[in-house]
Amino acid sequence: MAEALVTPEVLTWARERAGLSTAALAERLGVEEGRVIAWETAAERPTFGQAEQLARTTHVPFGAFFLPSPPDDDLPLPDLRAGGAHRSPALDAAFKDALGDVFYKFDWYREYRRQEGADPLPFVGRYSTRTEAAVVAEDMARVLGLTPEVRAASRGAEEFLRRLIGLAEGAGIWVLRNGVVGGNTHRPLDVGVFRGFAIADPVLPTIFLNGRDAYAGQIFTLAHELAHLWIGQSGISDPLAVPSGRAGAARVEACCNRVAADLLAPRQDVQALWVADLSLDRNAEILARHFRVSAMVIGIRARDMGLVDRDTFERFRDAELQRWRRLRESAEGGGGDYYVTARSRNGGRFMRAVVAQAMSGHLLLRDAASLLNMTPKTLRVAHARMGEGRL
């Protein structure tokens, strides 16, 4: 069989990018490990069929294997997750491909918004990390229209998350919530790697939430990423990691956590409702129901207000994260409505804009389908459902 003249260094890069050892890659390809090592040292060449299988397994375009050197894999956003002793896991191929998918959509949507005459939104970068958290949170609540009545009308975390996303979209913020790469359900996103990211662009402020997280976790991440927009700081986040490592990144993340906690559970209200004789667990349970947020948010508030010590909070946080993991695992496997899921993954306004442009002939159907991670057939069905008011 004809050999594929792949570049060994690119093959090694693709394998490492996918987080695979030579043994693991060999197992997936159905060859001996020595064969993979021979490919990477240029002692042998894979066949074209094996090279195509390599591309599918590592999720790297087939043509990339023939480049003279590995392509630039630099991130378009700063990584603000924890460093130092509490370093977050390396950003994996699934995250990088999901980020690339979002920026592919972002470039189209920003140009569309610009052509539609969208003005820069004044709240993006209105404050800095030096501004008091309560001031930023108060302005966020005003711009979003987040009132006690909105909280009271939400019957649980899932509904409150939907309402909060709706308020953000109403303010001109693009929110995507996805737990997989694009529309590929075989490539889940790892909550242990990241929980969200923000693009603080004045014309198209954008938030991405890792949909694999529990609803309660997504609420806090959403509030955290909103804070990123208000202080004008783009970045990749894990709000529940211990802020550490690089001073600048830790300062930004700690600031956004304080603002998020103030937005979701204002300090003066928590102080008024806190019962000193009760444990953190019991107080968190009571106040979480009152504010329609997670117990974790109350725990963070209590720590920042000095109502509990750091050791008590860290034990509580670890227990809550374990509980979220169990909830997430028990909820996995559900199908749901494909088109409702697609709207959540893409953001409702973006999806409507793409479908409208395609059906009016201003955008090729195949290009519109690519932007939405759909097929032309499913895009037409989405259009019909929108016309019926069912999407």
Side-chain angles (χ1 to χ4, degrees):
M1 293 184 111
E3 293 182 340
L5 301 178
V6 302
T7 304
E9 293 81 8
V10 176
L11 199 158
T12 302
W13 165 82
R15 174 180 59 77
E16 292 176 346
R17 181 179 184 275
L20 298 172
S21 65
T22 52
L25 179 57
E27 182 179 356
R28 294 197 184 188
L29 298 175
V31 300
E32 296 294 326
E33 182 181 6
R35 181 64 57 83
V36 173
I37 294 172
W39 294 340
E40 293 190 6
T41 57
E44 296 181 18
R45 302 282 190 186
T47 66
F48 270 94
Q50 288 169 329
E52 289 173 342
Q53 194 176 1
L54 278 165
R56 289 192 298 271
T57 302
T58 59
H59 304 289
V60 169
F62 178 68
F65 285 93
F66 301 90
L67 295 172
S69 60
D72 186 3
D73 208 20
D74 290 344
L75 294 169
L77 294 176
D79 182 3
L80 301 177
R81 301 169 309 141
H86 301 280
R87 182 177 301 278
S88 297
L91 293 167
D92 57 13
F95 168 79
K96 291 176 180 178
D97 290 344
L99 184 65
D101 180 62
V102 171
F103 269 92
Y104 167 58
K105 302 173 195 287
F106 178 89
D107 289 342
W108 181 89
Y109 197 23
R110 191 183 192 281
E111 179 61 18
Y112 170 82
R113 291 268 288 255
R114 191 188 65 78
Q115 291 180 2
E116 290 290 300
D119 293 321
L121 295 168
F123 57 79
V124 178
R126 177 175 284 166
Y127 299 105
S128 73
T129 56
R130 296 185 296 275
T131 311
E132 287 187 21
V135 172
V136 183
E138 183 179 351
D139 189 63
M140 287 166 60
R142 179 186 60 80
V143 171
L144 296 172
L146 179 58
T147 63
E149 290 73 27
V150 172
R151 301 176 193 275
S154 303
R155 290 167 293 183
E158 182 179 3
E159 184 174 344
F160 184 50
L161 175 63
R162 284 201 306 269
R163 289 178 182 273
L164 196 53
I165 289 173
L167 293 176
E169 290 181 334
I173 299 165
W174 183 27
V175 182
L176 306 90
R177 187 162 66 94
N178 200 351
V180 300
V181 178
N184 188 347
T185 55
H186 299 292
R187 298 191 68 194
L189 299 175
D190 188 349
V191 175
V193 172
F194 84 109
R195 282 189 157 81
F197 59 80
I199 305 171
D201 182 278
V203 174
L204 184 58
T206 302
I207 290 173
F208 183 96
L209 303 177
N210 189 336
R212 298 270 294 181
D213 204 357
Y215 290 125
Q218 292 180 56
I219 290 170
F220 190 75
T221 300
L222 176 55
H224 176 99
E225 304 303 346
L226 286 167
H228 270 277
L229 301 182
W230 256 257
I231 65 171
Q233 294 279 350
S234 301
I236 304 158
S237 304
D238 182 358
L240 298 180
V242 179
S244 60
R246 294 157 296 153
R251 182 171 61 252
V252 169
E253 290 300 271
C255 168
C256 291
N257 274 353
R258 288 193 299 272
V259 173
D262 244 322
L263 176 71
L264 297 172
R267 173 183 291 264
Q268 65 273 17
D269 296 340
V270 171
Q271 188 75 61
L273 295 168
W274 188 268
V275 179
D277 293 338
L278 297 180
S279 66
L280 170 56
D281 291 70
R282 184 62 180 138
N283 268 302
E285 179 186 353
I286 295 169
L287 271 65
R289 283 200 302 268
H290 175 81
F291 291 108
R292 304 297 196 274
V293 298
S294 69
M296 182 74 80
V297 171
I298 304 304
I300 292 171
R301 285 271 69 186
R303 179 201 62 190
D304 292 346
M305 293 170 62
L307 298 172
V308 296
D309 59 49
R310 183 167 294 276
D311 288 342
T312 299
F313 168 74
E314 290 185 356
R315 287 193 297 272
F316 170 81
R317 181 195 63 202
D318 292 344
E320 277 296 290
L321 289 175
Q322 287 290 341
R323 187 174 69 84
W324 287 4
R325 191 172 296 114
R326 290 193 298 271
L327 286 172
R328 187 170 65 246
E329 289 169 354
S330 66
E332 287 175 359
D337 185 305
Y338 169 81
Y339 296 96
V340 172
T341 300
R343 183 183 63 195
S344 174
R345 288 173 176 170
N346 287 290
R349 294 189 176 193
F350 172 75
M351 186 171 177
R352 287 191 293 274
V354 172
V355 170
Q357 290 293 100
M359 302 315 292
S360 65
H362 291 93
L363 181 64
L364 290 175
L365 203 60
R366 67 170 180 269
D367 292 339
S370 176
L371 282 167
L372 296 173
N373 307 115
M374 288 180 155
T375 66
K377 180 180 178 180
T378 52
L379 188 145
R380 288 191 185 95
V381 175
H383 175 252
R385 290 187 55 163
M386 287 177 178
E388 296 166 359
R390 295 193 294 129
L391 190 62

